[in-house]
Amino acid sequence: MPTLHHKYGPSGLASFERCPRFEKREEGKGGAHPVAIEGTMLHAKVELRDVTNLNKDQTTMVENSLAYMDQLTANADSIEQEIMLEICKKEDDSYVSFGTTDLVAHWLDEKKAVMIDWKFGWNAVTHPEKNLQVVCYVVGFFEKYDYCDEIDAHVYMARYGKGENHVFKRSQLEDLKLRILTVVERVEALAPHSPSTEACLYCGAKGTCPALAGHALALIENKPFDITKMTTEITDPRQMEKVLHAVELLAPWCDEVKAKAKEMVLSGTPVVGYDIRERASSPALGDPSLIYEAVKDKVTIDEFSQACDVKLTKLKKLVADKAPTGTKKLAQELLVGKLKSEGLLTEGNKSLVLYKRKKI
């Protein structure tokens, strides 16, 4: 297997196609995102045809994925899962990339195959015909299996119970390879930036990208948008959707610009009109029992209790930690019920907020 830089992996190549200067963001200190961890687990569950130890939604996703697979692969000569593919062979016999496709079913006499890629996330997925990750797998499959003249490539979005597909022909192989090679060569040639919401939103270079800076400044200077009109005269919901996309793009960019400016000032490079000021965080108290010992000659225990703030989340965790396995959630619910019935817990004030839907 060739040793290649991970940045050209099939799942990330689409970002470079949008902008050849795309930079991957560093992983957060908290580790992998919970949705990604769940997705990896559900991939394994589908591969093993195992629905044990899953919640209701997870069970539905796995069962629907298996039903989708069984319908598509009935009467296949063979079925393979987790197939490693070398992708886009070059003239020197090296490969641009490599990747693993989730499932392939073969019909040798008919010279065809079915390929399925499972998706367990919330985000919408590009249709297989245009999906560069799928294109990479198709190219790798055609190059590995000489018998095959036709691949029916499917992407199954398990969270929505929806699959989409496109049939690729071997006659398209060179065109598909050209698309992949063009993306890689534009990256290697340091082709110009191509700022857009799709390209920039998840890029790690928002704080230093000159193209995005120009795009952001154009917005600030009412070019190509009139900011006043954007905020006071928008009546078309489709236009509002576009404006919200711009806000979603610029908010992290603004945060990174501020962080970079702070770094410059702290390192001794002045930024005209800006200084660094020290701002203290809220004081934090320690062990309540020790604090009471320090003040018990001045306040009663009842007065001290009124000054204490008990966090419901921490209290629920304490109760759950002491409950037997399998009853932790029930113990938390009983705690909340008891506190409410005794007038010790009231609902917080409610407010209306705008949020982005996860579901399609």
Side-chain angles (χ1 to χ4, degrees), residues 5 8 70 125 206 216 223 251 317 333 340:
H5 199 287
Y8 295 143
D70 292 342
V125 178
K206 286 190 288 294
K223 300 175 183 178
K317 185 178 185 304
E333 292 174 349
K340 284 184 177 181

Side-chain angles (χ1 to χ4, degrees), residues 61-248:
M61 285 191 282
V62 172
E63 289 179 343
N64 286 348
S65 298
L66 291 172
Y68 189 83
M69 176 186 72
D70 292 342
Q71 181 179 7
L72 286 175
T73 60
N75 302 319
D77 294 325
S78 63
I79 298 174
E80 297 180 274
Q81 298 191 81
E82 296 296 312
I83 307 303
M84 182 69 76
L85 298 171
E86 295 173 319
I87 296 166
C88 204
K89 189 174 183 178
K90 299 190 289 187
E91 292 181 357
D92 61 0
D93 289 335
S94 65
Y95 290 85
V96 168
S97 185
F98 59 89
T100 302
T101 186
D102 293 328
L103 182 142
V104 173
H106 305 267
W107 284 264
L108 300 177
D109 291 340
E110 299 177 48
K111 297 184 177 181
K112 71 176 186 179
V114 165
M115 179 184 296
I116 306 176
D117 192 44
W118 309 117
K119 299 294 183 185
F120 294 98
W122 288 101
N123 294 332
V125 178
T126 303
H127 190 278
E129 182 181 7
K130 304 295 183 181
N131 190 311
L132 191 53
Q133 181 180 14
V134 172
V135 168
C136 286
Y137 294 149
V138 167
V139 167
F141 187 89
F142 275 139
E143 292 181 324
K144 180 173 183 176
Y145 297 98
D146 292 335
Y147 85 87
C148 186
D149 291 334
E150 176 181 299
I151 301 176
D152 185 10
H154 290 249
V155 172
Y156 185 71
M157 292 168 282
R159 206 168 288 274
Y160 309 106
K162 178 184 179 183
E164 294 180 331
N165 72 296
H166 181 74
V167 177
F168 293 89
K169 306 288 187 180
R170 181 172 287 276
S171 59
Q172 299 174 265
L173 179 57
E174 294 306 314
D175 290 336
L176 299 177
K177 289 177 64 175
L178 178 61
R179 180 182 174 188
I180 298 170
L181 289 169
T182 300
V183 173
V184 173
E185 290 181 12
R186 279 175 55 78
V187 175
E188 299 294 339
L190 299 178
H193 296 82
S194 301
S196 68
T197 298
E198 293 79 8
C200 302
L201 190 57
Y202 301 106
C203 180
K206 286 190 288 294
T208 58
C209 176
L212 179 56
H215 180 62
L217 291 173
L219 290 177
I220 295 170
E221 296 171 357
N222 300 343
K223 300 175 183 178
F225 301 108
D226 181 336
I227 301 298
T228 303
K229 182 176 181 180
M230 286 171 60
T231 55
T232 63
E233 300 179 18
I234 296 175
T235 58
D236 185 344
R238 290 171 295 182
Q239 185 182 7
M240 179 58 78
E241 180 185 10
K242 292 180 180 178
V243 173
L244 286 172
H245 284 167
V247 171
E248 187 177 2

Side-chain angles (χ1 to χ4, degrees), residues 28 36 69 101 145 245 289 300-301 308 355:
M69 176 186 72
T101 186
Y145 297 98
H245 284 167
S289 62
T300 67
I301 185 64
C308 295
Y355 72 97

Side-chain angles (χ1 to χ4, degrees), residues 256-292:
E256 293 193 27
V257 169
K258 291 177 182 178
K260 180 63 177 179
K262 179 180 177 181
E263 178 184 334
M264 290 175 64
V265 175
L266 288 173
S267 65
T269 303
V271 177
V272 178
Y274 291 87
D275 294 308
I276 296 294
R277 294 181 180 178
E278 185 177 64
R279 183 174 62 185
S281 59
S282 300
L285 293 172
D287 188 329
S289 62
L290 297 178
I291 295 172
Y292 177 69

